Structure formats: structure tokens, C-alpha cells
Amino acid sequence: MTAAGHSDKQRTNTGRHSPPRRAGARRSAEGGEAESGYSAEVAAQLGEAAAQLGARLGDPAVAHSVAEIEEVARGFSAVADGMSEGMGGVTEWLRAAGHVGPLSGHASVMADRLSHVSKELTRLAEAIEQARQSTN
């Protein structure tokens, strides 16, 4: 895949029960301390951006080209892939914190489902691209 935010490498552990180990906490440039709340802040911003984009895509008064819709599908795929990887990390964290059972199990299932959604969105983008090319 070559969409923005995607790489051609295959993530073998994305959405699996045993995600790769994380290297450590994110460090700030100033004091080297972990950035408290960074992940939650980014997730909130991502959620707000998705809501705004959803409203825009649902507005019949806003015109879109087929090429733009293809890129939207690729962007959504990248987001779902990142969410899958993140939920894999959440699963790992929950298990390490002793939350083995339904809570970590649910997080693991969500990682798997998000990985599947990412793949389906990529397939949709590829189908749109093929349809666009066949009409040219």
C-alpha cells in the first residue's frame, strides 16, 4: 500500500493477540519526561477530525470527485490500520497491568476488527481506482 500514512511493509502482528513490545514512553524535547496525556489528546483530535469529515462526506451539497473518494478510502484505511496497531498496544498494556480476561480480550477483538476494516477499505480504494481507470 502506498497511501499516505501507509507503508509497503506488512505488519505481521497488527490486530493479533501478542503485539510487538513497545520501545518505551514518548519523550518530550524539553525535560525527557513522558508526555502525560499525549495519546488521549491525539485520539480526541482524531475523533473530532473524523466526525467533521463524516459530516462533510454526508453533506449532499459538497461535491466530491471519484479520485477524492478513493483518497478518502485510503485515508480511512490508514486510520483504521493505526487504530488496530494502537489497540494491539492497549491490549498488551491491559494484560501487563493485570487486566487479563474480558477487558483485554475485548481490546484484542477490536484490534482484529480494525485490522479487517483497514484491509476492506484498501480493497474499496483499489476497486474505485480500477473503476476510474476503466472509464478513462
Side-chain angles (χ1 to χ4, degrees), residues 12-66:
T12 57
N13 289 330
T14 298
R16 300 229 176 145
H17 294 282
S18 300
R21 291 305 234 170
R22 302 293 185 233
R26 185 175 174 88
R27 305 273 176 207
S28 67
E30 295 88 42
E33 295 184 23
E35 292 181 7
S36 179
Y38 175 82
S39 298
E41 181 182 333
V42 171
Q45 290 172 358
L46 182 59
E48 180 62 29
Q52 289 177 9
L53 180 56
R56 180 176 172 81
L57 290 168
D59 184 350
V62 179
H64 299 286
S65 68
V66 175

Side-chain angles (χ1 to χ4, degrees), residues 58-129:
D59 184 350
V62 179
H64 299 286
S65 68
V66 175
E68 184 179 15
I69 297 302
E70 176 190 341
E71 288 304 311
V72 166
R74 291 189 191 282
F76 281 172
S77 176
V79 168
D81 194 41
M83 290 170 59
S84 174
E85 186 173 341
M87 286 309 299
V90 167
T91 300
E92 181 181 323
W93 184 92
L94 287 168
R95 288 181 178 155
H99 298 285
V100 179
L103 189 57
S104 63
H106 186 65
S108 177
V109 167
M110 291 309 305
D112 288 341
R113 290 179 179 173
L114 287 163
S115 178
H116 178 76
V117 166
S118 173
K119 290 173 186 165
E120 289 301 316
L121 284 163
T122 297
R123 288 186 187 114
L124 173 61
E126 290 168 352
I128 293 170
E129 179 182 27

